[in-house]
Amino acid sequence: MMIRRLAFLASLTLAALAQSSMLASTMQTAAPAAEARSAPEQLTADTPRVTAAGASFTVPAGWSIVTSKNVVILQPPEPDTHIAIVDTQATDAAGAVAAGWAAYKPEHKWPVKVVTARPPREGWEDRQVFDYETSPNERAVVQAIALRAGSVWTAVILDGKEPTFEKRNAPIGLIIQSLRPKGYQRESFAGRRAHPLDAARIAEIKAFVEDSMQKLGIPGASLALVDGGKVVYEGGLGKRELGKPEPVDENTLFMAASNTKGMTTLLLSELVDEKKLKWDEPVVDVYPSFKLGDPETTKKVLVKNLICACTGLPRQDLEWIFEFKQATPESSLALLGTMQPTSKYGEVFQYSNLMASAAGYIGAHIVYPNMELGTAYDTAMQKRIFDPLGMKSTTFDMARALKGDHASPHGDDVDGKVGVANIAFDYSVMPHRPAGGVWTSADDLIRYVQLELSLGKLPNGKQLVSAENLLARRARQIDVGEDHYYGMGLMVDSTYGVPVVHHGGSMAGYKSDIDFLPDSGVGAVLLTNSDNGGMLLRPFRRRLLEILFDGKPEAAGDVANQAARHKAVLAKERERLVVPANASLVSQLATKYYSKDLGELAVISNKDGATTFDFGEWKSTVASRKNDDGTISFITIDPTNDGFEFVKAERNGKRALVIRDGQHEYTFTEASLTASSH
């Protein structure tokens, strides 16, 4: 159970940041230390720099840098956030972090919550992450990372506010990922020829997935591999559902979530081929009713920008997660009209599911202008993508998927035990399904990867989509981190010198990834039926590269470390939770609340002493927590529905509960039965 004080993790998370550090929770502006510092230098482009000890890093465009003898302080355009890099001599990681704080902000007040080790990587011989205890109303992100190369320690302190950290996630990733000790050269596979995926190498990949499933508590997974245009392996591992005998196979259906996006942009590519769309034409020219909350941004959005994550619109998922009973594709588009950009157009990566949803519905409307938008999209995808590719089981029909060979969702309970989850939550994406609603199998999804590798040509020789417009989806639209960028529903990662096109998918209880190497003709599909599957996705990509290019064996260690860190953080958070929720605190709550954006919330006291928050569409048991600032939180704890934090408050003399995502705040206010039924 991870308290979701940052952006909700449904769909895609920033996997690039997992390479170095998962950003946790932070604070305010840097106070001047006694040591003299340089005047701030504003940088207009990504700029390589070095610390006093010679460690290299990149300062993102638009950020400022202040230096002193052993300290570098980086600040984004927002003054509430800083990253300090401090070179120091110390006997251990704790000493290095203490020295870092002393040089940067000696008056800092947060207690350490948990310290977790990371395996040696990127030239650093020792890496430890210090997470700090904060209270939700602070909206603080505070973390320290201790890195050692030889006898020199480098302490990295991340200190700021949640809205800024979420907005600036990609440039923060650039700083952390680019930080390497003096003289270190990253491993590169550039210029190497990939080994063929023969039986021995396939067995290594399967063994890695099986071992990782055991470490991470993933009940089931489905895997498919393609090499040289041919499927060389497909099959399943583990069970469809805990406690039941049915095994996963290559035909078992999983929610692939945001892996829907790449197939949605494939539909748009076909329309560009047919001259029904242009990538560079304004969306309002092809769909005049398209509207964002900001008129100027509305005018600027081109067709390609619908799914480029580059328009400045922030991640804003809570509206559709909590209130979807009456939602439709039309209301999905209408919801965009309430959204405001929080960064400049084209400035930073900000992931928007609703924009991707609009891309699919607008494309489908062009194909079938007289159909309801959802029917048009389902029909267009079936006839133009799934049928030609032979994806016979793939569907957007939840009822159809759940009737057949499908994997059930799983997640950890509050004590870290994996269990079967209620699937009600996953219905939330269906009104917005071009962004993440597809159900598919490894056997079906690998056919889509084959098409990507063949540059749009089907196995029968027919060109389904031109190479030009298929490849347009892989063109750089916005950077995600170092050597990593977002295209249109696809990402390209060149960390190790060879481009890997990929995308992840995340809905409650389902995590998936597609990875393919265009220069080597190799591709892979991985589908899992557990929230913990998210910890496997990047290591799986790394393991594929290790096997193809004889890379250093790091992936297995990364999985083991992720599993250990997950358990340690979960156990530490559990110490502060009262389960069932404290009865005296529950008695202070109203029985019904209402939010104009998120709908109704009913507080239900169960016979067993547990308390449930029922949102109508889905519900979860809650725990209570006393925060260091004296506030009280109620936190959802059911598997896959866990981590939503509601802070007890008062608004205009009425009882209230406040929930936040990375950049937004929503208030549920005490409501009468009449008021809450609006």
Side-chain angles (χ1 to χ4, degrees), residues 114-383:
V114 64
V115 180
T116 51
R118 297 292 176 88
R121 295 287 184 269
E122 296 288 288
W124 301 109
E125 299 163 45
D126 195 349
R127 302 191 303 160
Q128 301 207 29
V129 178
F130 292 66
D131 291 304
Y132 292 83
E133 189 68 63
T134 65
S135 297
N137 286 349
E138 291 181 277
R139 305 208 73 177
V141 177
V142 189
Q143 189 178 75
I145 308 167
L147 305 167
R148 181 181 60 81
S151 62
V152 178
W153 284 91
T154 299
V156 183
I157 297 172
L158 299 93
D159 167 27
K161 293 293 186 179
E162 285 177 1
T164 300
F165 264 76
E166 190 194 57
K167 183 194 310 182
R168 304 289 172 188
N169 226 341
I172 290 168
L174 171 62
I175 295 165
I176 302 298
Q177 293 160 21
S178 65
L179 182 61
R180 291 187 279 276
K182 182 179 181 180
Y184 177 77
Q185 294 295 318
R186 171 180 277 166
E187 180 180 32
S188 176
F189 306 131
R192 296 194 201 177
R193 184 181 179 88
H195 292 300
L197 286 180
D198 56 19
R201 293 186 178 90
I202 292 169
E204 286 186 76
I205 293 171
K206 285 177 60 182
F208 170 76
V209 174
E210 283 186 295
D211 183 65
S212 299
M213 289 169 64
Q214 291 293 319
K215 286 184 170 69
L216 297 170
I218 302 170
S222 195
L223 171 68
L225 302 167
V226 62
D227 189 6
K230 296 180 179 179
V231 176
V232 293
Y233 174 79
E234 56 180 18
L237 303 165
K239 303 296 182 183
R240 298 185 214 166
E241 181 174 318
L242 279 178
K244 294 187 177 180
E246 291 81 11
V248 171
D249 61 26
E250 66 273 17
N251 297 308
T252 301
L253 291 177
F254 295 74
M255 287 195 87
S258 283
N259 276 307
T260 312
K261 290 180 171 73
M263 290 182 279
T264 293
T265 58
L266 193 62
L267 171 66
L268 299 185
S269 295
E270 292 187 17
L271 298 179
V272 176
D273 279 345
E274 296 166 13
K275 313 297 184 187
K276 294 177 180 177
L277 272 183
K278 295 178 183 176
W279 293 120
D280 291 324
E281 69 181 317
V283 175
V284 291
D285 288 356
V286 296
Y287 198 81
S289 61
F290 173 75
K291 180 184 175 184
L292 303 177
D294 178 73
E296 288 305 309
T297 306
T298 302
K299 294 176 190 174
K300 288 181 183 177
V301 175
L302 308 178
V303 169
K304 67 182 180 181
N305 301 146
L306 286 170
I307 199 161
C308 72
C310 63
T311 60
L313 286 183
R315 190 169 195 124
Q316 191 169 331
D317 294 342
L318 292 187
E319 284 95 336
W320 60 265
I321 288 168
F322 280 88
E323 189 74 343
F324 57 85
K325 192 181 297 179
Q326 306 301 324
T328 64
E330 288 74 17
S331 70
S332 179
L333 287 172
L335 194 54
L336 278 172
T338 69
M339 296 174 61
Q340 299 285 346
T342 59
S343 59
K344 295 175 184 177
Y345 193 88
E347 181 184 17
V348 291
F349 174 89
Q350 291 213 70
Y351 193 79
S352 173
N353 281 304
L354 289 176
M355 285 286 279
S357 175
Y361 289 137
I362 290 170
H365 176 73
I366 291 170
V367 181
Y368 299 112
N370 298 319
M371 283 187 185
E372 180 270 332
L373 287 176
T375 304
Y377 176 74
D378 296 347
T379 305
M381 292 296 287
Q382 189 67 49
K383 292 184 177 295

Side-chain angles (χ1 to χ4, degrees), residues 596-611:
K596 64 181 180 63
D597 298 306
L598 307 186
E600 296 181 3
L601 188 168
V603 179
I604 300 170
S605 296
N606 303 318
K607 292 180 180 178
D608 60 1
T611 300

Side-chain angles (χ1 to χ4, degrees), residues 388-458:
L389 288 173
M391 299 173 70
K392 296 179 181 178
S393 300
T394 301
T395 183
F396 293 104
D397 186 333
M398 289 279 285
R400 174 188 162 192
L402 295 175
K403 282 179 183 175
D405 173 0
H406 74 281
S408 298
H410 297 79
D412 286 344
D413 68 11
V414 70
D415 294 309
K417 182 180 179 182
V418 66
V420 182
N422 190 317
I423 203 169
F425 188 104
D426 287 313
Y427 282 86
S428 64
V429 76
M430 299 318 293
H432 324 284
R433 52 193 175 274
V438 79
W439 284 84
T440 192
S441 65
D443 177 71
D444 276 8
L445 195 54
I446 199 66
R447 297 168 189 261
Y448 160 67
V449 173
Q450 281 180 292
L451 186 84
E452 292 279 5
L453 289 169
S454 68
L455 299 182
K457 186 174 290 187
L458 296 168

